[in-house]
Amino acid sequence: MQKQSAHFSFGNETKIEDLGNGLKRQMLGYNEELMAVKIWFAQGAIGYNHAHRHSQVTYVVEGEFHFNIDGVTKILKPGDSCFIPPFVDHGATCPTGGILIDTFSPAREDFLGE
């Protein structure tokens, strides 16, 4: 894995990756221990249930998200957040379209293509 991102990241200069199915991702900053990522969901987009070894905190910037964490579903709106422990099944749907900030510890090597 690349050791770390630049100290400063400018939204209009940082690559936005189209993940398909109404999802886009922009890396905000990372090192081996921590990563922050901005995720755009188109209206109706689904972040399918999955699990990974990373601790995750997600903050809702805009839109409405239906988060399922370990079989419990809650509706999150701007200003809300959730914590997802390592190896816990989770996913989200976004009926309105919206933006999330995801943070991971340690960093998601798979997001960097490694």
Side-chain angles (χ1 to χ4, degrees):
M1 175 191 334
Q2 184 178 345
K3 299 293 182 196
Q4 69 181 31
S5 63
H7 292 267
F8 297 96
S9 177
F10 300 95
N12 63 343
E13 297 175 4
T14 303
K15 176 183 169 187
I16 297 173
E17 181 181 2
D18 188 342
L19 304 174
N21 299 316
L23 299 173
K24 294 181 181 180
R25 174 173 64 208
Q26 184 179 47
M27 306 303 293
L28 301 179
Y30 61 90
N31 65 12
E32 293 178 354
E33 300 165 357
L34 180 67
M35 175 180 278
V37 180
K38 185 174 187 179
I39 308 286
W40 286 265
F41 278 66
Q43 183 176 3
I46 299 171
Y48 290 98
N49 276 31
H50 63 286
H52 44 72
R53 70 180 184 93
H54 313 82
S55 294
Q56 177 177 340
V57 174
T58 296
Y59 175 80
V60 179
V61 176
E62 75 180 45
E64 180 180 293
F65 290 84
H66 298 202
F67 263 90
N68 179 302
I69 302 173
D70 204 19
V72 176
T73 300
K74 299 285 184 181
I75 296 173
L76 300 181
K77 296 182 178 182
D80 296 339
S81 60
C82 60
F83 169 70
I84 304 159
F87 304 107
V88 170
D89 192 56
H90 62 283
T93 60
C94 185
T96 62
I99 299 172
L100 300 176
I101 302 295
D102 284 339
T103 55
F104 301 97
S105 178
R108 295 282 305 260
E109 303 90 347
D110 55 322
F111 285 12
L112 300 172
E114 302 192 18

